[in-house]
Amino acid sequence: MGNHRKALRTTTVGAVSATLIAGSVLGFAPTAQAASNDIRFVDITGDGGTVLKGNVVTPSGTDGTRRYPLLVLPTSWGLPQVEYLAQAQKLADSGYVVVTYNVRGFWQSGGRIEVAGPPDIADASRVIDWALANTPSDARHIGMAGVSYGAGISLLAAAHDKRIKAVASLSGWADLIDSIYSQRTQHVQAGALLDGAGTLTGRPSPELQQVFQDFFASNLAKEPDLIAWGRKRSPATYIDEFNKNGTALLLANAWGDTIFPPNQYVDFYEKLTGPKRLELRPGDHATAELTGLFGLPNDVWTDTQRWMDHYLKGEDNGIDREQPVELKPRSSGGYEGYPDWKSVGATQRKIDLAGTTTIHANADSGADGGVIFLSSIFDQLAQVPPIASIPLLPRRYAAVWQSPKYATAQHIRGTAKLHTTVTGTKESGTLVAYLYDVGPLGLGKLVSNAPYTWHGLTPGKPFGVDLELFSTAYDVPAGHRLALVVDTVDPLYIEHNPSGAQLTFSSPAEDPSYVSVPLREQ
C-alpha cells in the first residue's frame, strides 16, 4: 500500500504540473490576441444564484436590428474563461454571438465543482437565458461547443434543453465510468490529473472529494455509488433524449486519449439516430484541438464551424453529405471517410492464442501503456508510441503470443477484441492486454491496450474474459508481425492482484482463445 501511495503522489505531481503549464499557456496566449478587440466580460447568474464569470463576443457592427445564431462554450477542466477567446472572435466574425463562461467551482466563478452534475446542466440553460435577454442572439438557432469538460457539459445540456440544436463535443466523454473505470479498473493517472488540477484551480464539492477518496482507495463497498454517480453524468444515459430532440452532434476525439478513450464515444455515436458525425485523429486528450485555441488553422475547429454553419445558419456547405465517420490514422497523413463505424474494420483477422501459459503478478514486465499525455503526444508528433522489446519481455511476468510475419501491410481500423480463459490463484486480479506492431529486430510499437479487473471469483476456477482494446487506426508495415502481450501491472492503472497471485491463460478446444484484429477493407 505504501508503494501505491508513493506512486500516486508522483503521478499527481506530474499530472498537475502538466495541467498548470497548459493552463498558463492557454490562459495568456488568446488574451494577447484579443486585447485590441471589443470583448465584454460579464457576470451571469447561474443555478441557485451562483455567479458565473463569462465573456461575450458579438459580430462587428451589431446595432440591434437583427438577431444572430448563439454559441455557448463552457470552459475546460481547470482552465480560465479566456480559453476560447481566439475561436470566439473567429466565430463572431462569421456571424455568431458567442458566450463563453467559466464553469462553476473554477477560478472566479462561484460554487463548487460538481463534475457536470445537475447544477452544471442548469447553469448552461441559465447562460442561454441570459444571452437571449442581453445579446442580439436568436432563440431559434442555439448551439453549444467545448473541449474536454466543456464538451461533456455541452452534450449533457443538449439532452436536457431542447433549445440547443447543435453541439460540437471535442475530446469529451459519453460514458464517464467507462472512461476512467473501464472494466472495473481505475485509470489512476487520469484520476490524479483531474483531482490535482481541480484542487489547485477550483473548489471541489464535498461529494467530489469523497468520490476521489473512494476511487483511489479501491473501496468496493462504494462501487455501486461511484457507478451511479458517473451514470448521472454520462451523456450515454440520455440517448433517448438526444434521439427524440434530433440534436445535431459532432463528436471529435483522439486515438490516444488517456482520459476519455475513444471506445465510449464510438458506442454512443452508434446509438444516435439524428444528424451525427464522428472524427478521430492522432493525439492525446485535447491535443488535436490545441492549436485552434491560439487562433491557428486547425481541422477540428474548422469542422466545428462548418457543423454550426450548416445546422444553425442553414448554409449548404456539404458537411451533411460527407461520410459521417472521418478518421486520420496514426501512421499516415490522410483522412479516411466511412459511412458508419461497422465499415471501419470491415475485415476481422484472428490471431490464435494457443497453449497454456502461467504468469506471476505484482511486477511490471516492461510492457505498458506509457505516460499520460506524453506518450500519445510523441506518437502524434513523431509516430513514436511506447516501445518494448518483445523477445526480452520476461515470460515469468508476461504472456506473449505472436502472429506470423505479414507479407503485406495490415491496416488496423477499429476495436481489437481479446477472448481468452483465465484461471487465477486469488479471488481478485487485474490483467492488462497490449497489442504490438513487432519489427524485424523484435522491437514492438504499441498499437493499443486495455485493462481488465475482477473481484469475488473462486480461486482455481477458470473464467472467460472478453475485453475490447481501445479503438485505433494503425498501419502495420509488410514484413512485421503482431504480438499480443498480457501482464498484470501498468502505471496508467490501479492493479488488484494480491501478493503472490498467478494467472494461467488457456485455450480450451471447445472455446479457443484469440485476439480479433479489425482491418480496413483492402
Short mmCIF file of all heavy atoms in Angstrom, two decimals, residues 120-149:
data_model
loop_
_atom_site.label_atom_id
_atom_site.label_comp_id
_atom_site.label_asym_id
_atom_site.label_seq_id
_atom_site.Cartn_x
_atom_site.Cartn_y
_atom_site.Cartn_z
N ASP A 120 -24.51 22.04 -12.97
CA ASP A 120 -23.81 22.46 -14.18
C ASP A 120 -24.74 22.46 -15.39
O ASP A 120 -24.66 23.34 -16.26
CB ASP A 120 -22.63 21.52 -14.46
CG ASP A 120 -21.53 21.65 -13.43
OD1 ASP A 120 -20.97 22.74 -13.32
OD2 ASP A 120 -21.23 20.66 -12.75
N ILE A 121 -25.63 21.48 -15.46
CA ILE A 121 -26.57 21.41 -16.58
C ILE A 121 -27.55 22.57 -16.50
O ILE A 121 -27.88 23.21 -17.51
CB ILE A 121 -27.33 20.07 -16.56
CG1 ILE A 121 -26.33 18.90 -16.47
CG2 ILE A 121 -28.21 19.94 -17.79
CD1 ILE A 121 -25.19 18.98 -17.43
N ALA A 122 -28.01 22.88 -15.29
CA ALA A 122 -28.90 24.02 -15.11
C ALA A 122 -28.19 25.32 -15.43
O ALA A 122 -28.79 26.25 -16.00
CB ALA A 122 -29.44 24.04 -13.68
N ASP A 123 -26.89 25.41 -15.09
CA ASP A 123 -26.12 26.61 -15.42
C ASP A 123 -26.14 26.89 -16.91
O ASP A 123 -26.29 28.04 -17.35
CB ASP A 123 -24.66 26.45 -14.96
CG ASP A 123 -24.48 26.65 -13.47
OD1 ASP A 123 -25.40 27.17 -12.82
OD2 ASP A 123 -23.40 26.27 -12.97
N ALA A 124 -25.95 25.85 -17.72
CA ALA A 124 -25.92 26.03 -19.18
C ALA A 124 -27.21 26.66 -19.67
O ALA A 124 -27.20 27.56 -20.52
CB ALA A 124 -25.66 24.69 -19.87
N SER A 125 -28.33 26.20 -19.14
CA SER A 125 -29.62 26.77 -19.55
C SER A 125 -29.76 28.21 -19.06
O SER A 125 -30.33 29.07 -19.77
CB SER A 125 -30.77 25.92 -19.00
OG SER A 125 -30.81 24.65 -19.64
N ARG A 126 -29.24 28.50 -17.86
CA ARG A 126 -29.30 29.87 -17.37
C ARG A 126 -28.43 30.80 -18.22
O ARG A 126 -28.77 31.97 -18.43
CB ARG A 126 -28.84 29.93 -15.90
CG ARG A 126 -29.64 29.12 -14.91
CD ARG A 126 -31.06 29.65 -14.72
NE ARG A 126 -31.96 29.21 -15.78
CZ ARG A 126 -32.45 27.98 -15.89
NH1 ARG A 126 -32.13 27.04 -15.01
NH2 ARG A 126 -33.29 27.67 -16.88
N VAL A 127 -27.29 30.29 -18.71
CA VAL A 127 -26.44 31.10 -19.59
C VAL A 127 -27.18 31.40 -20.89
O VAL A 127 -27.13 32.53 -21.40
CB VAL A 127 -25.11 30.38 -19.85
CG1 VAL A 127 -24.31 31.11 -20.94
CG2 VAL A 127 -24.27 30.29 -18.57
N ILE A 128 -27.88 30.42 -21.42
CA ILE A 128 -28.68 30.65 -22.62
C ILE A 128 -29.76 31.70 -22.35
O ILE A 128 -29.98 32.62 -23.15
CB ILE A 128 -29.29 29.33 -23.12
CG1 ILE A 128 -28.19 28.41 -23.65
CG2 ILE A 128 -30.33 29.60 -24.21
CD1 ILE A 128 -28.67 27.01 -23.99
N ASP A 129 -30.45 31.56 -21.22
CA ASP A 129 -31.47 32.56 -20.86
C ASP A 129 -30.87 33.96 -20.83
O ASP A 129 -31.46 34.93 -21.36
CB ASP A 129 -32.05 32.23 -19.47
CG ASP A 129 -32.84 30.94 -19.45
OD1 ASP A 129 -33.25 30.46 -20.53
OD2 ASP A 129 -33.04 30.39 -18.35
N TRP A 130 -29.71 34.07 -20.19
CA TRP A 130 -29.05 35.37 -20.06
C TRP A 130 -28.69 35.92 -21.44
O TRP A 130 -28.90 37.11 -21.73
CB TRP A 130 -27.80 35.24 -19.20
CG TRP A 130 -27.09 36.54 -18.99
CD1 TRP A 130 -27.26 37.43 -17.97
CD2 TRP A 130 -26.09 37.13 -19.86
NE1 TRP A 130 -26.45 38.52 -18.14
CE2 TRP A 130 -25.72 38.36 -19.29
CE3 TRP A 130 -25.50 36.72 -21.05
CZ2 TRP A 130 -24.77 39.18 -19.87
CZ3 TRP A 130 -24.56 37.55 -21.64
CH2 TRP A 130 -24.20 38.76 -21.05
N ALA A 131 -28.15 35.08 -22.32
CA ALA A 131 -27.73 35.52 -23.63
C ALA A 131 -28.92 36.01 -24.46
O ALA A 131 -28.84 37.03 -25.16
CB ALA A 131 -27.01 34.40 -24.37
N LEU A 132 -30.03 35.30 -24.37
CA LEU A 132 -31.22 35.71 -25.13
C LEU A 132 -31.76 37.05 -24.64
O LEU A 132 -32.32 37.83 -25.41
CB LEU A 132 -32.30 34.64 -25.04
CG LEU A 132 -31.96 33.29 -25.70
CD1 LEU A 132 -33.08 32.28 -25.47
CD2 LEU A 132 -31.72 33.48 -27.20
N ALA A 133 -31.55 37.32 -23.35
CA ALA A 133 -32.06 38.57 -22.78
C ALA A 133 -31.10 39.74 -22.94
O ALA A 133 -31.52 40.90 -22.90
CB ALA A 133 -32.38 38.37 -21.30
N ASN A 134 -29.81 39.46 -23.13
CA ASN A 134 -28.80 40.52 -23.07
C ASN A 134 -27.91 40.65 -24.31
O ASN A 134 -27.02 41.49 -24.32
CB ASN A 134 -27.90 40.30 -21.85
CG ASN A 134 -28.65 40.44 -20.54
OD1 ASN A 134 -28.84 41.55 -20.04
ND2 ASN A 134 -29.08 39.32 -19.98
N THR A 135 -28.16 39.82 -25.32
CA THR A 135 -27.37 39.91 -26.55
C THR A 135 -28.32 39.78 -27.75
O THR A 135 -29.45 39.31 -27.60
CB THR A 135 -26.31 38.79 -26.64
OG1 THR A 135 -26.96 37.53 -26.87
CG2 THR A 135 -25.48 38.71 -25.36
N PRO A 136 -27.87 40.15 -28.95
CA PRO A 136 -28.73 40.03 -30.13
C PRO A 136 -28.73 38.59 -30.69
O PRO A 136 -28.48 38.37 -31.87
CB PRO A 136 -28.10 41.02 -31.11
CG PRO A 136 -26.65 41.02 -30.76
CD PRO A 136 -26.61 40.88 -29.26
N SER A 137 -28.99 37.62 -29.82
CA SER A 137 -28.95 36.22 -30.23
C SER A 137 -30.35 35.73 -30.58
O SER A 137 -31.36 36.23 -30.08
CB SER A 137 -28.34 35.36 -29.13
OG SER A 137 -28.92 35.61 -27.88
N ASP A 138 -30.40 34.72 -31.43
CA ASP A 138 -31.64 34.19 -31.99
C ASP A 138 -32.03 32.92 -31.24
O ASP A 138 -31.30 31.93 -31.25
CB ASP A 138 -31.44 33.89 -33.47
CG ASP A 138 -32.73 33.51 -34.18
OD1 ASP A 138 -33.71 33.15 -33.50
OD2 ASP A 138 -32.75 33.56 -35.43
N ALA A 139 -33.18 32.92 -30.59
CA ALA A 139 -33.63 31.79 -29.78
C ALA A 139 -33.89 30.54 -30.61
O ALA A 139 -33.96 29.44 -30.07
CB ALA A 139 -34.89 32.17 -29.01
N ARG A 140 -34.02 30.70 -31.91
CA ARG A 140 -34.31 29.55 -32.77
C ARG A 140 -33.04 28.83 -33.23
O ARG A 140 -33.13 27.74 -33.79
CB ARG A 140 -35.11 29.99 -33.99
CG ARG A 140 -36.45 30.65 -33.68
CD ARG A 140 -37.00 31.32 -34.92
NE ARG A 140 -36.06 32.34 -35.43
CZ ARG A 140 -36.18 32.93 -36.60
NH1 ARG A 140 -37.18 32.62 -37.42
NH2 ARG A 140 -35.28 33.84 -36.99
N HIS A 141 -31.89 29.47 -33.02
CA HIS A 141 -30.64 28.90 -33.54
C HIS A 141 -29.57 28.96 -32.45
O HIS A 141 -28.80 29.92 -32.36
CB HIS A 141 -30.18 29.66 -34.78
CG HIS A 141 -31.19 29.66 -35.88
ND1 HIS A 141 -32.06 30.71 -36.10
CD2 HIS A 141 -31.50 28.73 -36.81
CE1 HIS A 141 -32.84 30.43 -37.12
NE2 HIS A 141 -32.52 29.23 -37.56
N ILE A 142 -29.54 27.92 -31.61
CA ILE A 142 -28.64 27.88 -30.46
C ILE A 142 -27.78 26.62 -30.53
O ILE A 142 -28.28 25.51 -30.76
CB ILE A 142 -29.43 27.89 -29.14
CG1 ILE A 142 -30.25 29.18 -29.02
CG2 ILE A 142 -28.49 27.73 -27.94
CD1 ILE A 142 -31.18 29.19 -27.83
N GLY A 143 -26.49 26.79 -30.33
CA GLY A 143 -25.58 25.66 -30.30
C GLY A 143 -24.65 25.76 -29.10
O GLY A 143 -24.51 26.82 -28.49
N MET A 144 -24.02 24.63 -28.77
CA MET A 144 -23.00 24.61 -27.72
C MET A 144 -21.80 23.83 -28.22
O MET A 144 -21.93 22.92 -29.05
CB MET A 144 -23.54 23.98 -26.43
CG MET A 144 -24.54 24.83 -25.69
SD MET A 144 -24.92 24.19 -24.03
CE MET A 144 -23.36 24.46 -23.16
N ALA A 145 -20.64 24.20 -27.71
CA ALA A 145 -19.40 23.51 -28.08
C ALA A 145 -18.43 23.66 -26.92
O ALA A 145 -18.56 24.55 -26.09
CB ALA A 145 -18.82 24.08 -29.37
N GLY A 146 -17.43 22.79 -26.91
CA GLY A 146 -16.42 22.89 -25.87
C GLY A 146 -15.42 21.76 -25.99
O GLY A 146 -15.62 20.79 -26.71
N VAL A 147 -14.32 21.95 -25.26
CA VAL A 147 -13.25 20.96 -25.21
C VAL A 147 -13.26 20.31 -23.83
O VAL A 147 -13.39 20.98 -22.81
CB VAL A 147 -11.88 21.64 -25.46
CG1 VAL A 147 -10.74 20.62 -25.30
CG2 VAL A 147 -11.84 22.27 -26.85
N SER A 148 -13.15 18.98 -23.79
CA SER A 148 -13.00 18.22 -22.55
C SER A 148 -14.21 18.41 -21.64
O SER A 148 -15.31 17.99 -21.96
CB SER A 148 -11.70 18.64 -21.86
OG SER A 148 -11.44 17.86 -20.72
N TYR A 149 -14.03 19.06 -20.50
CA TYR A 149 -15.13 19.28 -19.57
C TYR A 149 -16.25 20.08 -20.24
O TYR A 149 -17.44 19.79 -20.06
CB TYR A 149 -14.59 20.03 -18.35
CG TYR A 149 -15.49 20.07 -17.14
CD1 TYR A 149 -16.28 18.98 -16.77
CD2 TYR A 149 -15.51 21.20 -16.33
CE1 TYR A 149 -17.08 19.03 -15.64
CE2 TYR A 149 -16.30 21.25 -15.19
CZ TYR A 149 -17.08 20.16 -14.85
OH TYR A 149 -17.87 20.22 -13.72
#
